[in-house]
Amino acid sequence: MKTWGCQMNVYDSERMSGLLKPLGYEVTETPADADLVILNTCHIREKAAEKVYSEIGRLREVKAGGATIAVAGCVAQAEGAEMQARAPEIDFVIGPQSYHKLPEIVARSARESGETLFTDFAVEEKFDRLAEPREPGGPSAFVTVQEGCDKFCTFCVVPYTRGVEVSRSADAITLEVRQLAQVGVREVTLLGQNVNAWHGAAPVGASAENWGLGELCRHLAQIDGIERIRFTTSHPRDMDDGLIEAFGEEPKLMPYLHLPVQSGSDRILRAMNRGHTAESYLRQIEKVRQARPDIAISGDMIVGFPGEDEAAFEETMQLTREVDYASCFSFKYSRRPGTPGATMAKQVAEEVKSERLQRLQALLNEQRAAFDEAQVGKVLPVLLEKPGRQHGQVIGKSPYLQSVFLEADASRIGEIVDVRIEGRGVNSLRGVLG
Ligand code: SAH
Ligand code: SF4
Ligand code: F3S
């Protein structure tokens, strides 16, 4: 199993492995040991498909040894048929909405049946069929609550690869989280392409027919054993007051919000079809900070979208200064075939994008360093997640999603312990049991 892309893909890979377990499959360290290779791909930025083709090239020997090669994920969904034509090594292609069919496909050997392209959209069926108990890899686990996107930002392929927004029911999610809690999970991260667009069926007997994400978080917080709840990725358009209030009132909801804005220029935001302004975004951040003053804000930025001139980029820098991010991802705009942005006038030259990205990242690095530095000297509750590389070392997470390295016995993994933060590295904190 090789996974590219977002956490949804990481989760899907986990689920695919789980589904194949009853057939006797287990994950191997190297492709050379594999009978079945699944490439779980991402389509979000350029060269994604190219990476998959070169990976398939490297798998030639494995293939010659008799292994089956499958392509899954968003490239599979977007370009499945083209991929099959170009790379005959591929035995079958399976899109994100068809993973529940995997055991069947593998069991009857796709080649023999003749059907090799599985890219229909049937998300609900997928959710139902994937609801079997799981074996998580540690005390922190992902749970998909929502899939798909109806927002159609003009730069983005996700609405085409993941389909329309679909929410799982609160009961189905609760069941999965309960099962996870029973096998030692302490923290769940609720996943969705637009997770705060979640509006799932409320449990029978609840006062409303549907709930919002804030209500779901409060409900899950009551499950014994679950100590921390997170969610990602949110969209500014779906950030309702119920969710913002939950940050102030539900202590198990961790003080970290990933809320991408993409640009600080209203003209560019309009061209991106984001459906919000820089000002409305800043107001939301302010509200969230009022509800939970210590919250860490994170985001995504795109530089060099068509029509972005120096003044528009400066507005992005200005918004970034105002928000003061704890962490933020930033990307050069990448022209994705089939999206409206790809054919817009005034595409920005590659060198200009690179130069702007550098300036933005310099600012974001400073902000991140300052946020980390501000934790030094404090005592933070840290969820111990896994052994570190050095003997006696354990790695955990702060409430603000920072990795924390400390000396502790590995038997304590799964506990939330007080850690005195003593220093910081480039992307992590160092501490001692407090
Ligand atoms: N649903 C999420 C994001 C999904 S994609 C949201 O709306 O926030 C993750 C990030 O990839 C986006 O936030 C965006 O910053 C980036 N991205 C998506 N398409 C891109 C493109 N064509 N070029 C550059 N970055 C892109
Ligand atoms: Fe893509 Fe926009 Fe949907 Fe996010 S909201 S997945 S960026 S189209
Ligand atoms: Fe990539 Fe698909 Fe996720 S395009 S970012 S794997 S939704």
Side-chain angles (χ1 to χ4, degrees):
M1 183 81 71
K2 177 157 180 166
T3 311
W4 290 269
C6 61
Q7 282 150 335
M8 186 82 76
N9 262 14
V10 174
Y11 172 87
D12 283 346
S13 287
E14 233 180 69
R15 301 311 303 266
M16 284 193 267
S17 320
L19 278 172
L20 292 173
K21 221 169 179 187
L23 299 184
Y25 284 85
E26 53 185 80
V27 176
T28 66
E29 289 292 322
T30 67
D33 297 331
D35 301 311
L36 167 65
V37 176
I38 300 179
L39 304 175
N40 193 4
T41 61
C42 171
H43 201 46
I44 201 84
R45 282 171 290 275
E46 236 150 320
K47 300 196 188 104
E50 292 311 313
K51 277 186 211 153
V52 182
Y53 288 120
S54 31
E55 188 69 35
I56 291 169
R58 281 194 292 276
L59 290 171
R60 212 159 283 143
E61 263 175 55
V62 181
K63 172 80 193 177
T68 299
I69 296 184
V71 179
C74 290
V75 182
Q77 189 64 44
E79 300 181 4
E82 293 97 295
M83 296 193 87
Q84 284 179 318
R86 181 164 152 192
E89 296 90 344
I90 301 173
D91 291 283
F92 67 95
V93 168
I94 183 162
Q97 279 74 23
S98 302
Y99 294 156
H100 57 280
K101 294 183 188 154
L102 198 56
E104 208 182 307
I105 296 168
V106 169
R108 69 165 193 244
S109 161
R111 278 280 174 209
E112 284 155 34
S113 75
E115 195 187 355
T116 58
L117 183 64
F118 304 90
T119 49
D120 291 346
F121 282 101
V123 187
E124 271 143 306
E125 192 189 351
K126 168 187 166 180
F127 281 146
D128 290 349
R129 298 272 299 271
L130 288 182
E132 290 112 46
R134 306 162 49 189
E135 280 173 47
S140 180
F142 294 134
V143 174
T144 293
V145 303
Q146 181 276 343
E147 237 193 289
C149 177
D150 307 333
K151 304 283 190 298
F152 290 92
C153 300
T154 53
F155 52 81
C156 184
V157 293
V158 171
Y160 310 97
T161 63
R162 294 276 173 168
V164 296
E165 290 177 357
V166 179
S167 297
R168 285 176 82 186
S169 72
D171 281 342
I173 297 162
T174 306
L175 184 69
E176 185 170 342
V177 174
R178 255 199 218 117
Q179 283 165 347
L180 289 169
Q182 276 161 12
V183 292
V185 166
R186 293 286 156 270
E187 172 182 272
V188 287
T189 302
L190 310 180
L191 293 182
Q193 262 90 31
N194 281 287
V195 72
N196 57 342
W198 182 84
H199 274 100
V204 183
S207 57
E209 208 173 309
N210 284 292
W211 273 354
L213 191 63
E215 285 155 308
L216 180 67
C217 289
R218 291 174 200 256
H219 184 67
L220 297 176
Q222 289 162 25
I223 295 175
D224 273 350
I226 297 299
E227 301 299 335
R228 291 183 164 193
I229 296 170
R230 303 179 183 277
F231 56 83
T232 199
T233 298
S234 302
H235 194 290
R237 256 153 81 183
D238 297 313
M239 209 56 218
D240 62 32
D241 288 347
L243 186 54
I244 294 176
E245 282 158 21
F247 273 116
E249 293 166 9
E250 177 48 68
K252 290 186 181 176
L253 186 55
M254 288 293 101
Y256 181 95
L257 174 65
H258 185 68
L259 194 64
V261 63
Q262 317 298 355
S263 168
S265 151
D266 286 343
R267 182 171 57 81
I268 297 299
L269 288 171
R270 238 184 344 266
M272 287 175 163
N273 190 33
R274 288 288 292 178
H276 60 79
T277 62
E279 187 54 40
S280 68
Y281 177 82
L282 288 170
R283 266 203 314 273
Q284 272 173 346
I285 298 290
E286 203 182 290
K287 262 191 181 173
V288 173
R289 281 187 166 140
Q290 264 161 17
R292 180 81 203 228
D294 67 328
I295 198 161
I297 302 291
S298 129
D300 293 345
M301 290 288 187
I302 295 178
V303 301
F305 186 78
E308 185 190 80
D309 53 13
E310 187 53 32
F313 174 67
E314 183 45 46
E315 291 180 281
T316 296
M317 292 290 281
Q318 187 50 34
L319 177 138
T320 304
R321 285 182 207 110
E322 279 174 50
V323 174
D324 193 9
Y325 287 100
S327 76
C328 182
F329 300 96
S330 50
F331 311 99
K332 286 193 272 187
Y333 170 67
S334 164
R335 257 169 124 156
R336 311 306 294 126
T339 61
T343 49
M344 283 182 186
K346 299 200 187 143
Q347 297 283 330
V348 176
E350 222 34 54
E351 315 83 75
V352 176
K353 288 183 201 169
S354 302
E355 191 271 333
R356 287 183 189 159
L357 187 68
Q358 251 178 29
R359 273 192 280 163
L360 177 59
Q361 288 186 339
L363 174 61
L364 291 171
N365 288 341
E366 267 173 41
Q367 294 185 342
R368 184 187 180 112
F371 185 84
D372 287 351
E373 189 63 37
Q375 312 303 324
V376 177
K378 288 189 189 159
V379 175
L380 297 179
V382 171
L383 171 60
L384 303 180
E385 288 188 355
K386 56 183 183 203
R389 236 176 248 150
Q390 278 154 35
H391 185 72
Q393 192 184 49
V394 170
I395 309 175
K397 286 272 162 55
S398 80
Y400 313 108
L401 210 60
Q402 296 148 302
S403 291
V404 182
F405 289 75
L406 63 144
E407 301 277 313
D409 199 88
S411 65
R412 302 196 65 180
I413 287 172
E415 287 179 40
I416 295 173
V417 297
D418 279 344
V419 175
R420 180 172 300 282
I421 305 301
E422 296 199 313
R424 65 174 176 92
V426 183
N427 278 316
S428 61
L429 299 174
R430 236 173 336 97
V432 292
L433 286 174

